[in-house]
Amino acid sequence: MVDVYVLASLEIIQAEPKFTLLYDVPTQQKNASWNFKNPFEWERIRDSFKSIKGKDANSRRRQLLAKVDSEETKAHYIWLARQKDTEYFLMPYKEVFSRFPQDKQALLYALARQESLFIPTAISTSYALGLMQLMPFNVKAIAKELKEEDKVGYFDMFDPAVNVPYAEYFTRPLVREFNHPLFIAYAYNGGPGFTRRLLGKNHLFKKNNPLDPWFSMEMIPYEESRVYGKKVLANYVIYQKKFGKEIKMLDLLQQSLVY
């Protein structure tokens, strides 16, 4: 999978990637024939696809692919039909994401790709919800701040038109405090307190360490956040490029050296 090491290596050796990068794939221009707003429907399709075996496996796979082959369920289709050596950087729900400046759009797309692969009804094992995988306690807190407690509930998080703006609201203090997309990613995944303590120790991301930022990225104590940050940062650079803003990964990593 694409991460900071892949993009930085390509910059250093000035080479083209050996993987294909796609922002879109063609799907049938039709409405979905199944209830894609029900998270359990997608889980049944996904688990059925994963469990297919036997001599009629190809036929059964084609049937399930045909079921999710629609513009409304493009992310589901890619999940089932993804090809080796191909990286998919979808940009769905443009009517929702386009409400925000391009830098914020790139950040939100980068987070969403890592959080859910743009499956709008995704639910994690820790009950994070929807496209942006918001935790229920954060949904409740944001709804209270926006005075929408009586209007927005947990099931609304399966609607990107609600989920994405709530996630954008959640990122505002993270952007103000941490500024760099790598640190914002750590905070989004591990929490602002985790990232605050991490940077407050003053022994990571040091300008006078010749091994940094590589050393510091591998010293993040929480494995999930360590991997997550590297992938989100790569997503961010790729989405910025799609928006017409060329950002060098090596330059961006150099900007993470804050001490």
Side-chain angles (χ1 to χ4, degrees), residues 203-225:
H203 70 272
L204 296 177
F205 298 100
K206 298 180 75 69
K207 296 175 183 176
N208 64 353
N209 183 352
L211 298 179
D212 263 337
W214 316 105
F215 170 81
S216 292
M217 286 191 295
E218 296 307 322
M219 289 297 104
I220 304 303
Y222 184 24
E223 183 181 3
E224 182 180 319
S225 293

PDB file of all heavy atoms in Angstrom, residues 203-225:
ATOM      1  N   HIS A 203      11.240  14.805  22.463  1.00  0.00           N
ATOM      2  CA  HIS A 203      12.363  13.964  22.033  1.00  0.00           C
ATOM      3  C   HIS A 203      12.123  13.355  20.657  1.00  0.00           C
ATOM      4  O   HIS A 203      12.942  12.570  20.180  1.00  0.00           O
ATOM      5  CB  HIS A 203      12.641  12.860  23.056  1.00  0.00           C
ATOM      6  CG  HIS A 203      11.582  11.798  23.124  1.00  0.00           C
ATOM      7  ND1 HIS A 203      10.479  11.911  23.934  1.00  0.00           N
ATOM      8  CD2 HIS A 203      11.465  10.606  22.480  1.00  0.00           C
ATOM      9  CE1 HIS A 203       9.721  10.832  23.798  1.00  0.00           C
ATOM     10  NE2 HIS A 203      10.281  10.027  22.909  1.00  0.00           N
ATOM     11  N   LEU A 204      11.016  13.736  20.029  1.00  0.00           N
ATOM     12  CA  LEU A 204      10.724  13.267  18.676  1.00  0.00           C
ATOM     13  C   LEU A 204      10.657  14.455  17.727  1.00  0.00           C
ATOM     14  O   LEU A 204      10.477  15.600  18.142  1.00  0.00           O
ATOM     15  CB  LEU A 204       9.395  12.509  18.642  1.00  0.00           C
ATOM     16  CG  LEU A 204       9.316  11.204  19.455  1.00  0.00           C
ATOM     17  CD1 LEU A 204       7.918  10.617  19.376  1.00  0.00           C
ATOM     18  CD2 LEU A 204      10.354  10.197  18.980  1.00  0.00           C
ATOM     19  N   PHE A 205      10.823  14.165  16.440  1.00  0.00           N
ATOM     20  CA  PHE A 205      10.734  15.167  15.377  1.00  0.00           C
ATOM     21  C   PHE A 205      11.680  16.339  15.643  1.00  0.00           C
ATOM     22  O   PHE A 205      11.299  17.499  15.647  1.00  0.00           O
ATOM     23  CB  PHE A 205       9.281  15.637  15.205  1.00  0.00           C
ATOM     24  CG  PHE A 205       8.361  14.526  14.806  1.00  0.00           C
ATOM     25  CD1 PHE A 205       7.552  13.891  15.754  1.00  0.00           C
ATOM     26  CD2 PHE A 205       8.322  14.063  13.497  1.00  0.00           C
ATOM     27  CE1 PHE A 205       6.723  12.844  15.390  1.00  0.00           C
ATOM     28  CE2 PHE A 205       7.493  13.013  13.131  1.00  0.00           C
ATOM     29  CZ  PHE A 205       6.692  12.401  14.088  1.00  0.00           C
ATOM     30  N   LYS A 206      12.953  15.980  15.854  1.00  0.00           N
ATOM     31  CA  LYS A 206      13.983  16.971  16.193  1.00  0.00           C
ATOM     32  C   LYS A 206      14.819  17.322  14.958  1.00  0.00           C
ATOM     33  O   LYS A 206      15.225  16.451  14.193  1.00  0.00           O
ATOM     34  CB  LYS A 206      14.875  16.433  17.306  1.00  0.00           C
ATOM     35  CG  LYS A 206      14.114  16.146  18.607  1.00  0.00           C
ATOM     36  CD  LYS A 206      15.022  15.615  19.693  1.00  0.00           C
ATOM     37  CE  LYS A 206      15.891  16.703  20.298  1.00  0.00           C
ATOM     38  NZ  LYS A 206      15.112  17.665  21.094  1.00  0.00           N
ATOM     39  N   LYS A 207      15.082  18.594  14.812  1.00  0.00           N
ATOM     40  CA  LYS A 207      15.826  19.094  13.659  1.00  0.00           C
ATOM     41  C   LYS A 207      17.282  18.641  13.659  1.00  0.00           C
ATOM     42  O   LYS A 207      17.908  18.548  12.598  1.00  0.00           O
ATOM     43  CB  LYS A 207      15.752  20.626  13.619  1.00  0.00           C
ATOM     44  CG  LYS A 207      14.346  21.156  13.417  1.00  0.00           C
ATOM     45  CD  LYS A 207      14.298  22.670  13.503  1.00  0.00           C
ATOM     46  CE  LYS A 207      12.856  23.172  13.368  1.00  0.00           C
ATOM     47  NZ  LYS A 207      12.758  24.635  13.539  1.00  0.00           N
ATOM     48  N   ASN A 208      17.832  18.397  14.848  1.00  0.00           N
ATOM     49  CA  ASN A 208      19.256  18.032  14.911  1.00  0.00           C
ATOM     50  C   ASN A 208      19.484  16.529  14.928  1.00  0.00           C
ATOM     51  O   ASN A 208      20.596  16.062  15.142  1.00  0.00           O
ATOM     52  CB  ASN A 208      19.910  18.671  16.139  1.00  0.00           C
ATOM     53  CG  ASN A 208      19.318  18.155  17.448  1.00  0.00           C
ATOM     54  OD1 ASN A 208      18.341  17.415  17.439  1.00  0.00           O
ATOM     55  ND2 ASN A 208      19.913  18.559  18.560  1.00  0.00           N
ATOM     56  N   ASN A 209      18.408  15.755  14.694  1.00  0.00           N
ATOM     57  CA  ASN A 209      18.568  14.302  14.611  1.00  0.00           C
ATOM     58  C   ASN A 209      18.647  13.910  13.138  1.00  0.00           C
ATOM     59  O   ASN A 209      17.659  14.031  12.401  1.00  0.00           O
ATOM     60  CB  ASN A 209      17.379  13.598  15.274  1.00  0.00           C
ATOM     61  CG  ASN A 209      17.532  12.081  15.271  1.00  0.00           C
ATOM     62  OD1 ASN A 209      18.443  11.523  14.651  1.00  0.00           O
ATOM     63  ND2 ASN A 209      16.642  11.398  15.971  1.00  0.00           N
ATOM     64  N   PRO A 210      19.812  13.441  12.683  1.00  0.00           N
ATOM     65  CA  PRO A 210      19.965  13.119  11.246  1.00  0.00           C
ATOM     66  C   PRO A 210      19.044  11.991  10.779  1.00  0.00           C
ATOM     67  O   PRO A 210      18.858  11.817   9.574  1.00  0.00           O
ATOM     68  CB  PRO A 210      21.434  12.727  11.123  1.00  0.00           C
ATOM     69  CG  PRO A 210      21.841  12.312  12.500  1.00  0.00           C
ATOM     70  CD  PRO A 210      21.047  13.165  13.443  1.00  0.00           C
ATOM     71  N   LEU A 211      18.495  11.241  11.714  1.00  0.00           N
ATOM     72  CA  LEU A 211      17.596  10.140  11.349  1.00  0.00           C
ATOM     73  C   LEU A 211      16.135  10.576  11.260  1.00  0.00           C
ATOM     74  O   LEU A 211      15.287   9.785  10.823  1.00  0.00           O
ATOM     75  CB  LEU A 211      17.716   9.002  12.372  1.00  0.00           C
ATOM     76  CG  LEU A 211      19.085   8.340  12.489  1.00  0.00           C
ATOM     77  CD1 LEU A 211      19.047   7.262  13.561  1.00  0.00           C
ATOM     78  CD2 LEU A 211      19.521   7.744  11.154  1.00  0.00           C
ATOM     79  N   ASP A 212      15.875  11.789  11.664  1.00  0.00           N
ATOM     80  CA  ASP A 212      14.489  12.259  11.634  1.00  0.00           C
ATOM     81  C   ASP A 212      14.135  12.833  10.272  1.00  0.00           C
ATOM     82  O   ASP A 212      15.005  13.349   9.562  1.00  0.00           O
ATOM     83  CB  ASP A 212      14.270  13.322  12.727  1.00  0.00           C
ATOM     84  CG  ASP A 212      13.658  12.714  13.983  1.00  0.00           C
ATOM     85  OD1 ASP A 212      13.028  11.643  13.864  1.00  0.00           O
ATOM     86  OD2 ASP A 212      13.795  13.306  15.054  1.00  0.00           O
ATOM     87  N   PRO A 213      12.829  12.735   9.901  1.00  0.00           N
ATOM     88  CA  PRO A 213      11.678  12.315  10.698  1.00  0.00           C
ATOM     89  C   PRO A 213      11.440  10.800  10.706  1.00  0.00           C
ATOM     90  O   PRO A 213      10.511  10.329  11.365  1.00  0.00           O
ATOM     91  CB  PRO A 213      10.513  13.010  10.004  1.00  0.00           C
ATOM     92  CG  PRO A 213      10.908  13.005   8.562  1.00  0.00           C
ATOM     93  CD  PRO A 213      12.404  13.229   8.550  1.00  0.00           C
ATOM     94  N   TRP A 214      12.285  10.043   9.976  1.00  0.00           N
ATOM     95  CA  TRP A 214      12.051   8.606   9.855  1.00  0.00           C
ATOM     96  C   TRP A 214      12.072   7.919  11.217  1.00  0.00           C
ATOM     97  O   TRP A 214      11.220   7.067  11.512  1.00  0.00           O
ATOM     98  CB  TRP A 214      13.089   7.991   8.924  1.00  0.00           C
ATOM     99  CG  TRP A 214      13.306   8.806   7.695  1.00  0.00           C
ATOM    100  CD1 TRP A 214      14.377   9.602   7.409  1.00  0.00           C
ATOM    101  CD2 TRP A 214      12.400   8.947   6.591  1.00  0.00           C
ATOM    102  NE1 TRP A 214      14.198  10.220   6.192  1.00  0.00           N
ATOM    103  CE2 TRP A 214      13.002   9.835   5.672  1.00  0.00           C
ATOM    104  CE3 TRP A 214      11.158   8.408   6.286  1.00  0.00           C
ATOM    105  CZ2 TRP A 214      12.396  10.204   4.476  1.00  0.00           C
ATOM    106  CZ3 TRP A 214      10.547   8.762   5.096  1.00  0.00           C
ATOM    107  CH2 TRP A 214      11.164   9.644   4.209  1.00  0.00           C
ATOM    108  N   PHE A 215      13.052   8.272  12.036  1.00  0.00           N
ATOM    109  CA  PHE A 215      13.165   7.691  13.368  1.00  0.00           C
ATOM    110  C   PHE A 215      11.905   7.962  14.190  1.00  0.00           C
ATOM    111  O   PHE A 215      11.326   7.043  14.780  1.00  0.00           O
ATOM    112  CB  PHE A 215      14.394   8.271  14.084  1.00  0.00           C
ATOM    113  CG  PHE A 215      14.479   7.923  15.539  1.00  0.00           C
ATOM    114  CD1 PHE A 215      14.973   6.684  15.951  1.00  0.00           C
ATOM    115  CD2 PHE A 215      14.070   8.830  16.515  1.00  0.00           C
ATOM    116  CE1 PHE A 215      15.047   6.365  17.298  1.00  0.00           C
ATOM    117  CE2 PHE A 215      14.139   8.509  17.864  1.00  0.00           C
ATOM    118  CZ  PHE A 215      14.624   7.275  18.256  1.00  0.00           C
ATOM    119  N   SER A 216      11.464   9.212  14.190  1.00  0.00           N
ATOM    120  CA  SER A 216      10.324   9.583  15.020  1.00  0.00           C
ATOM    121  C   SER A 216       9.042   8.905  14.559  1.00  0.00           C
ATOM    122  O   SER A 216       8.219   8.486  15.379  1.00  0.00           O
ATOM    123  CB  SER A 216      10.142  11.104  15.020  1.00  0.00           C
ATOM    124  OG  SER A 216      11.212  11.727  15.702  1.00  0.00           O
ATOM    125  N   MET A 217       8.848   8.782  13.254  1.00  0.00           N
ATOM    126  CA  MET A 217       7.634   8.134  12.758  1.00  0.00           C
ATOM    127  C   MET A 217       7.555   6.677  13.206  1.00  0.00           C
ATOM    128  O   MET A 217       6.465   6.134  13.383  1.00  0.00           O
ATOM    129  CB  MET A 217       7.558   8.231  11.228  1.00  0.00           C
ATOM    130  CG  MET A 217       7.201   9.617  10.727  1.00  0.00           C
ATOM    131  SD  MET A 217       6.792   9.634   8.955  1.00  0.00           S
ATOM    132  CE  MET A 217       8.365   9.171   8.243  1.00  0.00           C
ATOM    133  N   GLU A 218       8.726   6.045  13.392  1.00  0.00           N
ATOM    134  CA  GLU A 218       8.740   4.650  13.828  1.00  0.00           C
ATOM    135  C   GLU A 218       8.746   4.510  15.348  1.00  0.00           C
ATOM    136  O   GLU A 218       8.626   3.403  15.872  1.00  0.00           O
ATOM    137  CB  GLU A 218       9.951   3.926  13.236  1.00  0.00           C
ATOM    138  CG  GLU A 218       9.932   3.839  11.724  1.00  0.00           C
ATOM    139  CD  GLU A 218       8.641   3.239  11.177  1.00  0.00           C
ATOM    140  OE1 GLU A 218       8.105   2.299  11.805  1.00  0.00           O
ATOM    141  OE2 GLU A 218       8.163   3.721  10.129  1.00  0.00           O
ATOM    142  N   MET A 219       8.882   5.617  16.060  1.00  0.00           N
ATOM    143  CA  MET A 219       8.878   5.581  17.516  1.00  0.00           C
ATOM    144  C   MET A 219       7.525   5.951  18.115  1.00  0.00           C
ATOM    145  O   MET A 219       7.393   6.044  19.333  1.00  0.00           O
ATOM    146  CB  MET A 219       9.944   6.551  18.067  1.00  0.00           C
ATOM    147  CG  MET A 219      11.375   6.085  17.849  1.00  0.00           C
ATOM    148  SD  MET A 219      11.766   4.523  18.728  1.00  0.00           S
ATOM    149  CE  MET A 219      11.748   3.349  17.361  1.00  0.00           C
ATOM    150  N   ILE A 220       6.513   6.148  17.264  1.00  0.00           N
ATOM    151  CA  ILE A 220       5.176   6.421  17.785  1.00  0.00           C
ATOM    152  C   ILE A 220       4.735   5.183  18.574  1.00  0.00           C
ATOM    153  O   ILE A 220       4.681   4.086  18.034  1.00  0.00           O
ATOM    154  CB  ILE A 220       4.188   6.711  16.632  1.00  0.00           C
ATOM    155  CG1 ILE A 220       4.690   7.866  15.770  1.00  0.00           C
ATOM    156  CG2 ILE A 220       2.805   7.006  17.176  1.00  0.00           C
ATOM    157  CD1 ILE A 220       4.938   9.155  16.514  1.00  0.00           C
ATOM    158  N   PRO A 221       4.416   5.335  19.856  1.00  0.00           N
ATOM    159  CA  PRO A 221       4.215   4.167  20.717  1.00  0.00           C
ATOM    160  C   PRO A 221       2.956   3.353  20.418  1.00  0.00           C
ATOM    161  O   PRO A 221       2.888   2.176  20.748  1.00  0.00           O
ATOM    162  CB  PRO A 221       4.145   4.772  22.125  1.00  0.00           C
ATOM    163  CG  PRO A 221       3.743   6.194  21.914  1.00  0.00           C
ATOM    164  CD  PRO A 221       4.347   6.597  20.611  1.00  0.00           C
ATOM    165  N   TYR A 222       1.957   3.962  19.812  1.00  0.00           N
ATOM    166  CA  TYR A 222       0.697   3.289  19.524  1.00  0.00           C
ATOM    167  C   TYR A 222       0.751   2.803  18.084  1.00  0.00           C
ATOM    168  O   TYR A 222       0.749   3.609  17.150  1.00  0.00           O
ATOM    169  CB  TYR A 222      -0.446   4.275  19.760  1.00  0.00           C
ATOM    170  CG  TYR A 222      -1.842   3.730  19.601  1.00  0.00           C
ATOM    171  CD1 TYR A 222      -2.119   2.378  19.739  1.00  0.00           C
ATOM    172  CD2 TYR A 222      -2.903   4.593  19.331  1.00  0.00           C
ATOM    173  CE1 TYR A 222      -3.406   1.897  19.597  1.00  0.00           C
ATOM    174  CE2 TYR A 222      -4.203   4.127  19.183  1.00  0.00           C
ATOM    175  CZ  TYR A 222      -4.443   2.777  19.321  1.00  0.00           C
ATOM    176  OH  TYR A 222      -5.714   2.307  19.174  1.00  0.00           O
ATOM    177  N   GLU A 223       0.834   1.489  17.876  1.00  0.00           N
ATOM    178  CA  GLU A 223       1.076   0.936  16.542  1.00  0.00           C
ATOM    179  C   GLU A 223       0.037   1.388  15.523  1.00  0.00           C
ATOM    180  O   GLU A 223       0.373   1.725  14.383  1.00  0.00           O
ATOM    181  CB  GLU A 223       1.108  -0.592  16.583  1.00  0.00           C
ATOM    182  CG  GLU A 223       1.417  -1.210  15.228  1.00  0.00           C
ATOM    183  CD  GLU A 223       1.436  -2.724  15.264  1.00  0.00           C
ATOM    184  OE1 GLU A 223       1.160  -3.295  16.340  1.00  0.00           O
ATOM    185  OE2 GLU A 223       1.733  -3.335  14.227  1.00  0.00           O
ATOM    186  N   GLU A 224      -1.234   1.385  15.908  1.00  0.00           N
ATOM    187  CA  GLU A 224      -2.279   1.769  14.955  1.00  0.00           C
ATOM    188  C   GLU A 224      -2.064   3.190  14.456  1.00  0.00           C
ATOM    189  O   GLU A 224      -2.160   3.459  13.262  1.00  0.00           O
ATOM    190  CB  GLU A 224      -3.653   1.642  15.605  1.00  0.00           C
ATOM    191  CG  GLU A 224      -4.796   1.980  14.658  1.00  0.00           C
ATOM    192  CD  GLU A 224      -6.161   1.851  15.317  1.00  0.00           C
ATOM    193  OE1 GLU A 224      -6.365   0.878  16.068  1.00  0.00           O
ATOM    194  OE2 GLU A 224      -7.021   2.716  15.082  1.00  0.00           O
ATOM    195  N   SER A 225      -1.759   4.115  15.379  1.00  0.00           N
ATOM    196  CA  SER A 225      -1.526   5.506  14.986  1.00  0.00           C
ATOM    197  C   SER A 225      -0.245   5.648  14.180  1.00  0.00           C
ATOM    198  O   SER A 225      -0.161   6.477  13.273  1.00  0.00           O
ATOM    199  CB  SER A 225      -1.453   6.401  16.228  1.00  0.00           C
ATOM    200  OG  SER A 225      -2.701   6.459  16.878  1.00  0.00           O
TER     201      SER A 225
END
